[in-house]
Amino acid sequence: MNSSSLGFLNVSIVGRSRDSFSTAVAKNVIVVALGLIINYINGTLIHTFRKHQIFYINPRYILFIHLVVNDMIQLTSTISLFVFSYVFYKINVSLCCFIILCSVFTTLNTPINLAVMAVECFIAICLPLRHAELCTIQRIYILIGWMWTLSAVVTMPDVFIILATEPIELFYSTIVCSKDNLFRHPVILEKRDVSYIIYLIFVWLTLLFTYFKIFLAAESAKSGNGDAKKARNTILLHGFQLLLCMLTYVSHTINKALYNWFPQHFTHALFMSYIIVQILPRFVSPIVYGLRDTTFRQHLKKYQLCSVTKSKHQTMA
């Protein structure tokens, strides 16, 4: 299991010499362009969130925007390593470690964020009278802090193991930057597999529990077309996004399969794997949660309309 799909970069670098200059440029342009488009959409969502008080006093939107910021950091980290693999081949170990940690932290945050959003939906539908008491703004920010703390607890021991087992000179040297190259100690690999399995089991159990509770609430109230149905569909979308995110955790297995299936076009297959595993899940969040939500969509349209009108006035002036 590879928590950030950075093993792809290691293989990509090896196969880079087999890419023609035009192919290498095309791949980097595609990746950077997709990253800029997704981050622009996410940036627009963040700007809309900041401009309207209705969002930052609502726990649901705070969790959503945290997921968006988390995706932006994760996407920027992985795209940076992709570009570095072509431009510099090797980079400084300290810089490599920092970028990988950013990617791993945000990758681990995503499933937990989805689980917390599902629990918030469950409380809103099944315990509506206690929602305001349980889902306060302060508690949501505390939960976000605990997400990052939990990611640090899982990840930082890997850094300490490297400090204890590798010479300090390693951090002043250069390396082909991938997680498998940097965090290669056997203890790290075993700990990583166990921690990821526990993570994913916990998140899936949370999603299943909240889904069936909301489903039963909808059936008992016979409100299949109301808020309960919408919340149930939202949790199904959480599950869909989690499935996409889980591709990251099995990317090493996927890459091995691609090598067996497409040995003659391995680097191109890996490139498509990178797009599907790393970029596609980041594209889902703003569409599924931002544009699907009626309130958010209305304010986003107003913001875009105001921006276009302002631009026309400036042009006429």
Side-chain angles (χ1 to χ4, degrees):
M1 299 172 87
N2 184 348
S3 77
S4 60
S5 190
L6 297 177
F8 160 80
L9 295 174
N10 189 23
V11 184
S12 177
I13 294 167
V14 174
R16 185 182 61 168
S17 60
R18 290 179 286 177
D19 282 340
S20 64
F21 177 76
S22 59
T23 301
V25 171
K27 287 181 178 180
N28 280 272
V29 168
I30 291 172
V31 168
V32 173
L34 288 174
L36 290 175
I37 291 170
I38 295 172
N39 278 345
Y40 172 77
I41 296 172
N42 286 336
T44 303
L45 294 174
I46 294 172
H47 183 74
T48 304
F49 173 85
R50 291 179 60 251
K51 286 293 183 179
H52 300 91
Q53 186 180 11
I54 190 175
F55 296 127
Y56 53 81
I57 61 172
N58 188 313
R60 185 170 304 170
Y61 293 118
I62 293 173
L63 289 170
F64 163 67
I65 218 66
H66 174 257
L67 184 65
V68 169
V69 173
N70 192 78
D71 283 351
M72 291 182 71
I73 297 172
Q74 202 273 346
L75 190 62
T76 302
S77 302
T78 56
I79 288 179
S80 297
L81 287 179
F82 183 92
V83 174
F84 288 165
S85 73
Y86 279 87
V87 176
F88 301 113
Y89 185 66
K90 294 182 178 182
I91 64 175
N92 179 266
V93 171
S94 298
L95 176 61
C96 174
C97 184
F98 173 75
I99 298 176
I100 288 177
L101 287 177
C102 288
S103 179
V104 173
F105 272 44
T106 50
T107 301
L108 292 173
N109 282 343
T110 299
I112 301 299
N113 203 116
L114 292 172
V116 174
M117 292 174 75
V119 171
E120 191 276 335
C121 284
F122 160 73
I123 295 174
I125 298 300
C126 298
L127 303 170
L129 298 180
R130 300 198 61 191
H131 183 268
E133 173 192 351
L134 297 175
C135 298
T136 63
I137 303 301
Q138 183 180 5
R139 286 183 176 178
I140 292 300
Y141 281 118
I142 291 174
L143 279 174
I144 290 174
W146 275 110
M147 289 183 205
W148 287 91
T149 301
L150 186 59
S151 297
V153 168
V154 173
T155 306
M156 290 309 294
D158 297 352
V159 179
F160 299 144
I161 291 173
I162 292 178
L163 291 171
T165 58
E166 300 284 353
I168 196 64
E169 289 80 10
L170 172 68
F171 290 90
Y172 299 98
S173 61
T174 58
I175 190 176
V176 175
C177 190
S178 76
K179 187 172 184 183
D180 291 337
N181 278 351
L182 185 60
F183 299 101
R184 58 195 180 198
H185 195 280
V187 174
I188 294 177
L189 299 177
E190 292 180 8
K191 180 189 72 66
R192 187 192 311 170
D193 288 347
V194 172
S195 61
Y196 291 166
I197 290 172
I198 294 173
Y199 243 64
L200 294 177
I201 289 176
F202 167 76
V203 172
W204 275 114
L205 288 177
T206 302
L207 291 179
L208 290 172
F209 172 81
T210 53
Y211 174 80
F212 282 111
K213 283 290 186 179
I214 291 173
F215 176 80
L216 293 175
E219 289 296 314
S220 62
K222 298 196 181 295
S223 56
N225 295 321
D227 292 339
K229 182 178 179 180
K230 185 178 179 180
R232 190 179 64 196
N233 292 338
T234 299
I235 293 177
L236 285 177
L237 291 172
H238 289 330
F240 171 69
Q241 187 174 12
L242 183 59
L243 282 174
L244 290 178
C245 293
M246 283 179 65
L247 294 176
T248 303
Y249 296 91
V250 294
S251 61
H252 187 64
T253 303
I254 294 174
N255 292 342
K256 283 185 176 180
L258 290 174
Y259 180 76
N260 294 326
W261 294 342
F262 309 104
Q264 301 299 323
H265 305 284
F266 187 40
T267 56
H268 301 317
L270 283 176
F271 175 70
M272 292 306 301
S273 171
Y274 174 78
I275 296 293
I276 294 171
V277 170
Q278 286 299 323
I279 295 183
L280 180 59
R282 312 284 87 77
F283 190 66
V284 169
S285 293
I287 293 178
V288 168
Y289 305 116
L291 304 182
R292 177 174 169 266
D293 183 87
T294 304
T295 305
F296 215 109
R297 187 170 62 250
Q298 289 175 349
H299 285 82
L300 187 61
K301 286 181 179 179
K302 291 179 183 178
Y303 165 71
Q304 293 295 339
L305 183 61
C306 290
S307 298
V308 172
T309 304
K310 183 178 180 182
S311 177
K312 286 183 178 179
H313 284 312
Q314 289 176 346
T315 303
M316 293 176 63

